[in-house]
Amino acid sequence: MNLTHIEHIGIAVKNLDEAIKYYENVLGLKCYAVEEVHEQKVKTAFFKVGQTKIELLESTDPEGPIGKYIEKKGQGIHHIAFHVDDLPNALKEAEEKGIQLINNEPKKGAENLDIAFLHPKSTFGVLTEFCENPKN
Amino acid sequence: MNLTHIEHIGIAVKNLDEAIKYYENVLGLKCYAVEEVHEQKVKTAFFKVGQTKIELLESTDPEGPIGKYIEKKGQGIHHIAFHVDDLPNALKEAEEKGIQLINNEPKKGAENLDIAFLHPKSTFGVLTEFCENPKN
């Protein structure tokens, strides 16, 4: 597979508005989009730094994945997403090499990217996402 | 302050050799350096993906910061490091804006970078590092 760059880093926060203030006013980044992803029960805010996006994630439901994550581990870095050239092929290759997939097939994520997750049990504790931009 | 890109992402692992195999054989990245940082009680392995490095961290001492982190939270993403144009000024600005610094002054990190950490209590749970390459 070919990982071209880190597409984004997902960060779980309790309060999106407060976190946005920190990323804008202290770190000097610009929030260019806020988007709700109903399927994931999150509200997200996006920033760009170099090639990579920071994706802040606030849960809209305590039973959603981010709500449960914060309950268990607290706020913090939730996942890392690599951009790949060919998502279906990358998933096939990972599975053939013994990696446990959370998503066997690409699905739609934020910003209309095709995405899929690998299980952190197979990836040394790192919830890992592969993304492909279908427009490229 | 001016964050130019994500310099690296630090990932705590229990076994560096096993983790290197995953990053090389599954993700297709190339480990270009292994370095021991005695002051931090870690052995590190470096990979590059786009503008950003992946820095795997194995503790050389259970009482070191990575040993304690893994004991408490398990393996996983440990910190995010932003490259800044002017590290002393970035620290000054963060402190003036109420951010708690772990390092008030730059110190030497892996790969001879000037580095300093911000406390995760001030940064919404994300252990945040600023780096500046003195050669630039």
Side-chain angles (χ1 to χ4, degrees):
Chain A
M1 68 182 73
N2 183 25
L3 274 54
T4 59
H5 61 282
I6 297 176
E7 211 282 330
H8 67 266
I9 294 170
I11 297 175
V13 300
K14 288 181 185 168
N15 184 312
L16 197 64
D17 292 336
E18 291 297 318
I20 288 171
K21 281 183 204 163
Y22 161 69
Y23 281 86
E24 290 203 321
N25 299 342
V26 179
L27 298 186
L29 303 177
K30 171 78 186 152
C31 177
Y32 69 86
V34 172
E35 181 181 345
E36 191 159 341
V37 184
H38 294 281
E39 193 201 327
Q40 294 291 321
K41 297 173 179 170
V42 289
K43 196 161 73 168
T44 63
F46 288 94
F47 305 80
K48 192 90 189 269
V49 50
Q51 288 177 325
T52 299
K53 294 161 194 157
I54 302 281
E55 181 187 36
L56 300 182
L57 302 150
E58 180 193 88
S59 185
T60 55
D61 180 338
E63 295 303 310
I66 295 299
K68 285 184 185 168
Y69 181 87
I70 289 179
E71 176 71 25
K72 190 176 168 192
K73 297 209 171 190
Q75 299 188 108
I77 306 171
H78 178 258
H79 68 272
I80 179 169
F82 296 104
H83 186 271
V84 296
D85 275 345
D86 179 341
L87 179 56
N89 191 56
L91 290 175
K92 184 167 169 282
E93 190 180 336
E95 193 169 29
E96 283 170 358
K97 289 179 174 170
I99 302 303
Q100 186 182 336
L101 307 181
I102 293 176
N103 308 110
N104 290 297
E105 292 183 3
K107 60 176 193 167
K108 280 291 170 194
E111 298 198 312
N112 203 38
L113 295 180
D114 295 326
I115 68 161
F117 282 93
L118 314 184
H119 199 289
K121 281 185 186 170
S122 294
T123 58
F124 295 81
V126 176
L127 178 58
T128 301
E129 181 179 349
F130 289 160
C131 302
E132 184 181 358
N133 188 341
K135 289 183 201 159
N136 286 354
Chain B
M1 67 182 72
N2 183 25
L3 274 53
T4 60
H5 61 284
I6 298 176
E7 211 282 332
H8 67 265
I9 295 171
I11 298 175
V13 299
K14 288 181 187 169
N15 183 311
L16 196 65
D17 293 337
E18 291 297 317
I20 288 172
K21 282 183 202 164
Y22 161 70
Y23 280 87
E24 290 203 321
N25 299 342
V26 178
L27 297 186
L29 303 177
K30 172 77 185 151
C31 177
Y32 68 88
V34 171
E35 179 181 345
E36 191 160 340
V37 183
H38 294 280
E39 192 200 326
Q40 293 291 320
K41 298 176 179 168
V42 289
K43 197 160 74 168
T44 63
F46 288 94
F47 305 80
K48 191 92 189 267
V49 51
Q51 288 177 324
T52 300
K53 294 163 195 156
I54 303 281
E55 181 187 36
L56 301 182
L57 302 151
E58 181 194 87
S59 185
T60 55
D61 181 338
E63 295 303 309
I66 295 299
K68 285 184 186 168
Y69 181 87
I70 289 179
E71 176 70 27
K72 190 175 168 192
K73 296 209 171 191
Q75 300 186 105
I77 305 170
H78 179 258
H79 67 273
I80 180 171
F82 296 104
H83 186 272
V84 296
D85 275 346
D86 180 341
L87 179 54
N89 191 56
L91 290 176
K92 183 167 171 278
E93 190 180 335
E95 192 169 30
E96 283 171 359
K97 289 180 175 170
I99 303 302
Q100 186 183 336
L101 307 182
I102 293 176
N103 308 109
N104 290 298
E105 291 183 3
K107 59 176 194 167
K108 280 291 170 191
E111 299 197 311
N112 203 37
L113 295 179
D114 294 326
I115 68 163
F117 283 93
L118 313 185
H119 200 288
K121 281 185 188 168
S122 294
T123 59
F124 296 82
V126 176
L127 178 58
T128 300
E129 180 179 349
F130 288 160
C131 301
E132 185 182 357
N133 188 341
K135 290 183 198 158
N136 286 353

